[in-house]
Amino acid sequence: SPDNTKVVEFEGYGCGPCPDGTAAKGCVECDADDCNAWSAKTVAYQCHEGEAKANCTSNSGMNCFSARSNYTGNEDKLTKGGCGTCAEAKFNTSICLDCKGDLCNKANKNTTYQCHQGDKAVTCTNTTGENCFRARSDYTGNDETLKSGGCGTCVENKLNTTECLDCKGD
């Protein structure tokens, strides 16, 4: 079974010795009854924390947080952003924004970047990352905003996340 205390590539379970070549990928052998219980895969990634890049690990996905663009407070931890979700950092989502992915919480204020909107590129400005949205490939609806795509995330644009897909700009 995998060792969930470090980043692992091995996700299998079974009885007996680890398959050849899997010990380096995180397979751990055990001898006791019921010792190979499931544990979530741990991933390593980075989030912006102020001007620095913080090393993060998680078994619930690559989650980063940052202050929303309309945040005017001075809570240092929120303005710097960091690893984990707003809830884990104990911030209300009215002032805090979650994102998923390596370095998704852009640290620099008023970053400009481009997203596709219909058949053209548009310039976007955002303080929470270079986020764009588009319709999922299987979308068959008539929402013109969703079909054309644009700046920001699906959630920021109040779009249904089962039909919308977030992506990175430029």
Side-chain angles (χ1 to χ4, degrees):
S1 62
D3 175 358
N4 72 342
T5 62
K6 63 181 181 180
V7 177
V8 295
E9 297 173 31
F10 182 73
E11 295 184 41
Y13 291 87
C15 297
C18 290
D20 287 344
T22 59
K25 294 180 178 181
C27 182
V28 177
E29 295 181 13
C30 60
D31 295 328
D33 288 341
D34 295 327
C35 65
N36 62 342
W38 182 87
S39 58
K41 180 178 179 180
T42 303
V43 294
Y45 62 102
Q46 290 185 314
C47 294
H48 291 284
E49 194 171 281
E51 296 301 317
K53 293 178 181 175
N55 293 321
C56 315
T57 56
S58 173
N59 61 7
S60 62
M62 292 187 203
N63 298 302
C64 302
F65 72 90
S66 59
R68 287 191 175 271
S69 58
N70 63 349
Y71 178 67
T72 57
N74 61 359
E75 172 62 48
D76 191 51
K77 183 176 178 180
L78 179 57
T79 57
K80 284 183 176 179
C83 304
T85 64
C86 294
E88 290 167 342
K90 298 185 177 17
F91 290 117
N92 187 299
T93 55
S94 65
I95 60 170
C96 184
L97 185 66
D98 290 321
C99 61
K100 289 188 174 293
D102 201 41
L103 297 171
C104 64
N105 64 334
K106 189 75 171 177
N108 300 326
K109 297 281 183 196
N110 298 322
T111 301
T112 58
Y113 59 99
Q114 293 193 321
C115 293
H116 289 282
Q117 191 169 33
D119 59 355
K120 64 183 181 213
V122 294
T123 299
C124 309
T125 303
N126 197 330
T127 60
T128 58
E130 298 175 5
N131 299 308
C132 304
F133 72 90
R134 65 176 176 81
R136 292 187 180 272
S137 59
D138 59 352
Y139 179 69
T140 58
N142 296 319
D143 185 322
E144 290 302 318
T145 300
L146 180 56
K147 285 168 56 174
S148 67
C151 303
T153 64
C154 298
V155 171
E156 289 172 326
N157 285 282
K158 297 178 174 52
L159 296 167
N160 184 334
T161 56
T162 62
E163 300 170 337
C164 184
L165 184 66
D166 291 327
C167 50
K168 292 294 171 195
D170 292 327

